[in-house]
């Protein structure tokens, strides 16, 4: 059955936070039947993972959208116990690709397929669509394809079958490493423009770059939006977390002897942001909040100790 050019499917979605909740809505708008489960009963469609699996027709496809690490591992292990041969698990969180390989091997012992999918789009994905980078076999990807089609942006781009299991999250990891470097370049430019006693309106300078220049991008659009909302970024501390993928990118570069000067430097700049206040890191923090809804540290009175890292940073 096809709805609006997209083949119909049923899918289970585990994790209905900022990203997962919006993804459920976008898939439903695209004709996909979604059964969602979350520990918060106010947003959940079912009371348990068992009930979610029971409601799905075979072959069952369950998309996991929870924080990387122990929570993802536990969820995948529970699903492996509940699913059967021919079913598919999709990990759409920010897991490390090495975890994908381990999870896929466990699932394969029961004949369950495994797809890892890097998802980019943040809080804007509901309206604009999500960029999707998937890893897995062609057979397993095909079982999830209607969901990918509903989630991706309109047009030809926005989805890629990047390769075998792990390739999706590896690609998303590199994407985030590049994102670190781009944000750092904009941020350092912001600090220099603010520093000199020459430029009267920094916001308008950045705004003028949004059309016709080689540095125009969505990140630039978001920096201008942040500056319009808070000129000088006086309400944001120059404190920027790293989600882990920047570190993993640099580690992979070391493992493969790939020079990665710019991305490594942008990662280290985030470490510096946890020691000293910096206008450039205020700009990085503001951009992270704009595109991903990531928590920011409120500007504090001079002399107070820096706030502790926010380890609850969302996917």
């Amino acid at each position: 059955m096809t709805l609006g050019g997209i083949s119909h499917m049923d899918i289970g979605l585990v994790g209905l936070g900022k990203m997962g909740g919006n993804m459920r809505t976008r898939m439903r708008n695209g004709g996909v039947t979604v059964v969602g489960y979350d520990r918060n009963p106010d947003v959940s469609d079912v009371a348990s993972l068992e009930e979610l699996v029971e409601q799905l027709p075979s072959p069952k496809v369950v998309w996991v959208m929870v924080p990387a690490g122990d929570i993802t591992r536990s969820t995948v292990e529970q699903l492996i116990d509940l699913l059967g041969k021919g079913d598919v698990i999709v990990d759409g969180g920010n897991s490390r690709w090495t975890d994908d390989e381990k999870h896929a091997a466990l699932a394969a012992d029961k004949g369950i397929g495994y797809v890892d999918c890097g998802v980019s789009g943040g809080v804007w994905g509901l309206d604009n669509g999500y960029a999707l980078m998937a890893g897995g076999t062609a057979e397993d990807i095909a079982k999830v394809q209607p969901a990918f089609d509903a989630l991706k942006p309109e047009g030809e781009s926005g989805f890629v079958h990047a390769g075998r299991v792990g390739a999706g999250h590896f690609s998303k990891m590199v994407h985030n490493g590049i994102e670190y470097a781009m944000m750092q370049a904009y941020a350092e430019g912001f600090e220099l423009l603010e520093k000199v006693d020459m430029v009267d309106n920094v916001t308008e300078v950045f705004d003028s770059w949004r059309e016709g220049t080689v540095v125009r991008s969505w990140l630039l659009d978001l920096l201008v939006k942040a500056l319009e909302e808070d000129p000088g970024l006086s309400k944001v501390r120059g404190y920027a977390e790293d989600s882990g993928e920047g570190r993993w990118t640099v580690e992979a570069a070391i493992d493969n002897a790939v020079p990665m000067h710019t991305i490594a430097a942008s990662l280290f700049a985030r470490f510096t942001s946890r020691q000293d206040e910096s206008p450039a890191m205020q700009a990085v923090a503001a951009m992270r909040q704009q595109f991903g809804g990531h928590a920011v540290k409120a500007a504090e009175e001079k002399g107070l100790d820096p706030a502790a890292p926010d380890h609850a940073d969302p996917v």
Side-chain angles (χ1 to χ4, degrees):
M1 180 179 179
T2 300
L3 295 174
I6 297 174
S7 298
H8 177 69
M9 74 172 293
D10 292 75
I11 192 169
L13 179 61
V14 182
L16 302 172
K18 277 186 286 190
M19 285 279 283
N22 284 347
M23 289 168 64
R24 174 174 62 176
T25 300
R26 186 170 175 90
M27 282 193 281
R28 285 176 172 172
N29 290 342
V32 176
T33 299
V34 183
V35 180
Y37 170 69
D38 193 274
R39 289 180 297 180
N40 178 2
D42 293 335
V43 299
S44 189
D45 300 319
V46 293
S48 65
L49 282 178
E50 290 82 0
E51 187 179 348
L52 178 147
V53 170
E54 288 172 1
Q55 290 196 17
L56 295 174
S58 295
K60 303 175 189 290
V61 177
V62 181
W63 188 305
V64 178
M65 203 68 198
V66 299
D70 291 341
I71 298 176
T72 293
R73 281 191 286 273
S74 173
T75 304
V76 168
E77 288 169 0
Q78 291 178 67
L79 287 172
I80 289 173
D81 289 337
L82 294 170
L83 297 172
K85 186 174 182 180
D87 297 337
V88 177
I89 297 171
V90 183
D91 178 5
N94 280 338
S95 295
R96 191 165 184 163
W97 81 96
T98 50
D99 288 344
D100 295 321
E101 294 172 335
K102 296 173 185 176
H103 294 159
L106 291 174
D109 288 340
K110 284 190 61 178
I112 300 169
Y114 196 89
V115 171
D116 63 289
C117 184
V119 181
S120 182
V123 296
W124 298 79
L126 174 59
D127 295 327
N128 298 340
Y130 300 88
L132 307 166
M133 296 143 268
T137 67
E139 180 183 4
D140 291 335
I141 293 290
K143 292 177 182 177
V144 192
Q145 193 64 54
F148 293 143
D149 292 340
L151 288 168
K152 68 181 285 294
E154 294 183 8
E156 296 300 318
S157 298
F159 168 78
V160 61
H161 180 188
R164 62 181 176 84
V165 167
H169 280 145
F170 194 94
S171 299
K172 175 60 164 37
M173 177 195 74
V174 175
H175 164 279
N176 280 25
I178 293 169
E179 176 188 296
Y180 276 41
M182 291 175 64
M183 292 169 69
Q184 191 63 32
Y186 285 132
E188 291 174 5
F190 164 77
E191 181 168 358
L192 180 58
L193 288 167
E194 283 282 347
K195 185 79 171 181
V196 299
D197 185 21
M198 182 180 299
V199 177
D200 295 329
N201 194 318
V202 174
T203 301
E204 290 186 5
V205 170
F206 275 103
D207 187 55
S208 74
W209 296 349
R210 296 170 65 190
E211 300 291 343
T213 76
V214 295
V215 299
R216 62 190 185 274
S217 74
W218 186 43
L219 280 174
L220 179 60
D221 294 340
L222 295 176
L223 178 55
V224 171
K225 184 175 183 294
L227 289 169
E228 289 173 343
E229 294 173 355
D230 178 18
L233 303 178
S234 61
K235 299 177 183 177
V236 180
R237 270 193 57 199
Y239 181 105
E241 273 287 4
D242 64 288
S243 61
E245 290 174 304
R247 299 186 190 211
W248 302 340
T249 304
V250 173
E251 290 171 2
I254 294 170
D255 291 341
N256 292 278
V258 174
M260 196 164 275
H261 312 288
T262 306
I263 293 175
S266 66
L267 173 64
F268 295 152
R270 295 201 178 185
F271 299 162
T272 301
S273 80
R274 298 163 206 176
Q275 300 170 352
D276 302 299
E277 194 66 18
S278 160
M281 298 316 298
Q282 284 178 289
V284 169
M287 281 185 277
R288 291 182 80 241
Q289 183 186 42
Q290 287 289 332
F291 71 74
H294 298 287
V296 295
K297 305 292 184 182
E300 297 177 340
E301 294 180 15
K302 187 176 180 180
L304 293 184
D305 291 334
D310 181 4
H311 295 297
D313 207 14
V315 173

